Amino acid sequence: MNAMKTLAILRNTRFWTLVVLAMCFGCGDSSTTRYVPSADTARTALKQGLDAWQSGAALATITVSTPAVDVFDMRWQQGAKLEKYEIVKAIEGREHPTFEVQVTLDKNLPEKNTYIVVGIDPLLVFRDIDYQKATGQ
């Protein structure tokens, strides 16, 4: 098996393992409240993930600090380049810390996206569309 096929299998395995975890987080069971990070911790995880993407790093678990961070934005997995971003605001009243972020990809116009952060270690940072796919919501 060549290296590219192995890498693709590992990415898919990692993705689906974390999808199953995310589905558990989205169940609404009160026991999942311990998997809700603080707003500050969630913002830091989001920033670490977007900084890594913007720097041109490959999609992988970010382990430069504790807790580790995994980002789920299919555009990054598909090779899109993040030119710049701005965390616009925290969105209040959600089950998990949620943020509005303006991103500019591949010299396109800026667009607003929503990111959701769940977990303890690792922290899972999902673009809302990818979170909805993962949790079936």
Side-chain angles (χ1 to χ4, degrees):
M1 188 179 301
N2 69 32
M4 293 302 287
K5 285 183 180 177
T6 302
L7 182 59
I9 290 170
L10 289 174
R11 282 185 178 164
N12 283 334
T13 301
R14 177 179 163 266
F15 175 76
W16 288 111
T17 299
L18 292 169
V19 164
V20 170
L21 287 172
M23 290 172 66
C24 292
F25 295 135
C27 294
D29 183 321
S30 62
S31 65
T32 63
T33 57
R34 68 183 217 133
Y35 297 103
V36 178
S38 71
D40 289 339
T41 299
R43 182 181 287 273
T44 299
L46 174 60
K47 185 174 180 344
Q48 286 176 333
L50 294 175
D51 284 347
W53 186 6
Q54 186 177 31
S55 75
L59 179 62
T61 301
I62 300 164
T63 58
V64 295
S65 64
T66 302
V69 176
D70 278 307
V71 178
F72 295 92
D73 188 317
M74 292 303 289
R75 300 168 303 175
W76 187 2
Q77 184 174 359
Q78 294 167 349
K81 306 296 181 207
L82 176 62
E83 290 183 14
K84 63 182 177 178
Y85 75 90
E86 176 188 358
I87 300 173
V88 177
K89 66 179 180 178
I91 301 172
E92 301 299 323
R94 301 280 182 99
E95 180 180 6
H96 298 284
T98 304
F99 301 89
E100 181 180 298
V101 181
Q102 183 167 301
V103 299
T104 303
L105 301 176
D106 297 321
K107 300 184 181 178
N108 291 320
L109 293 174
E111 61 182 68
K112 292 208 174 155
N113 292 171
T114 302
Y115 285 87
I116 301 162
V117 183
V118 300
I120 297 174
D121 191 0
L123 289 166
L124 309 177
V125 177
F126 286 91
R127 183 171 59 130
D128 63 342
I129 293 168
D130 298 312
Y131 182 79
Q132 291 167 6
K133 287 179 185 176
T135 61
Q137 295 181 3

